[in-house]
Amino acid sequence: MTRLEIGDVLENRYRIDRPIARGGMSTVYRCVDMRLGRAVAAKVMDERYSDDPVFIKRFSREARAMARLQHPNLVAIHDFSAEGEPIYLIMELIDGGTLRELLAEGGPFPVQAATSTLRNVLRGLEEVHSTGLIHRDIKPGNLLITQNGQVKITDFGIAKAAAAVPLTRTGMVVGTAQYVSPEQAQGEDVDARSDLYSTACLLYELLTGQRPFSGGSYEELMVAHLTRFPTPLSHVNPQVPRPVSRLVEQAIAKRPQDRSSADQLYRALLAALGVKREQYGDVEVVVAGGARMLHLPGGEGAI
């Protein structure tokens, strides 16, 4: 792993303040952009990627594509370097934690909080998918929550680049095996519907505190994704409305052609909750019972 010290400077511009998180593929540091005087995050890739020309090519292509995405539910990409060592992304710095941390601290989400979180995830995925990109690694650890409750998706495109490196391919898949779609588990080409399968697994966990599939090994998990169906949500958490439980069961379909798009799943979720929406340009008002919620792409608030 490429290790940087506090005070080191990337490209004579980004000064390292401290590490934020470490994983098998990368380390994320809090940095200061000395040119613009703002705090940013630097995702520095493991040094073993530096000598792989296929990874470098794919990383560069994905980074450029990601940098073109501008949406409140996506972590913004400001800069990147794929020449020499280290290889890194410069990203928007998020002042909160991950969804994984929130689950570990507080357990399952209340239905309203879980479905509100999912609606923001789906809005971000709509933007990603509209450009032809696929995330490939939707999981709680890749969803950041700001201090004001805004949901932001990160790491889109990184999984595709890393999959080109045979040394890391197995480790990468094992790390996300609980959310991987059946077609992805079999090494097939995937499209946006693979992200929707992972998103349904995510909602299941938010509502129950349990992952929909379990296994003592990677192989057992893959068999579960390919052949089994999870225990119905309403059986694990009776507080989940039956329409929402049915929606998740349908979304965790084995065949891609039986799944919805992000927009279709978003609309189905509102319908399952008995929610109506009114659109005013870019502003959406969600009406549930007697309550009206102002829904912007980055979050919700009562009105």
Side-chain angles (χ1 to χ4, degrees), residues 32-167:
V32 173
D33 181 342
M34 297 186 296
R35 183 179 302 169
L36 298 178
R38 66 178 175 183
V40 295
K43 178 182 282 293
V44 179
M45 304 306 297
D46 189 290
E47 61 188 5
R48 67 179 176 267
Y49 294 105
S50 299
D51 297 325
D52 190 289
V54 176
F55 172 83
I56 292 171
K57 180 179 180 180
R58 292 191 179 186
F59 177 88
S60 299
R61 183 174 65 234
E62 294 295 313
R64 290 189 180 94
M66 289 185 288
R68 290 194 292 268
L69 296 174
Q70 299 293 325
H71 191 277
N73 296 125
L74 302 177
V75 172
I77 304 299
H78 300 315
D79 195 4
F80 78 96
S81 175
E83 298 180 2
E85 188 180 334
I87 296 173
Y88 62 84
L89 282 172
I90 300 297
M91 307 178 297
E92 171 188 10
L93 180 67
I94 304 303
D95 57 6
T98 68
L99 202 58
R100 167 58 59 219
E101 292 167 341
L102 290 181
L103 279 167
E105 292 172 3
F109 283 30
V111 173
Q112 182 177 356
T115 53
S116 177
T117 298
L118 187 75
R119 290 203 293 269
N120 284 277
V121 172
L122 291 172
R123 284 308 200 200
L125 284 178
E126 279 186 72
E127 180 68 16
V128 173
H129 296 163
S130 70
T131 66
L133 293 175
I134 309 165
H135 190 287
R136 291 179 169 82
D137 199 15
I138 293 293
K139 60 182 180 182
N142 280 339
L143 298 173
L144 304 181
I145 312 296
T146 67
Q147 291 183 353
N148 64 5
Q150 189 175 20
V151 181
K152 288 181 176 279
I153 306 172
T154 189
D155 274 7
F156 34 94
I158 298 299
K160 181 178 181 181
V165 184
L167 177 65

Side-chain angles (χ1 to χ4, degrees), residues 173 180-190 218 222 225-226 254 256:
V173 175
V180 69
S181 68
E183 61 270 25
Q184 193 172 3
Q186 295 182 96
E188 299 175 356
D189 291 336
V190 300
Y218 167 74
M222 293 304 98
H225 281 293
L226 291 168
K254 302 303 179 186

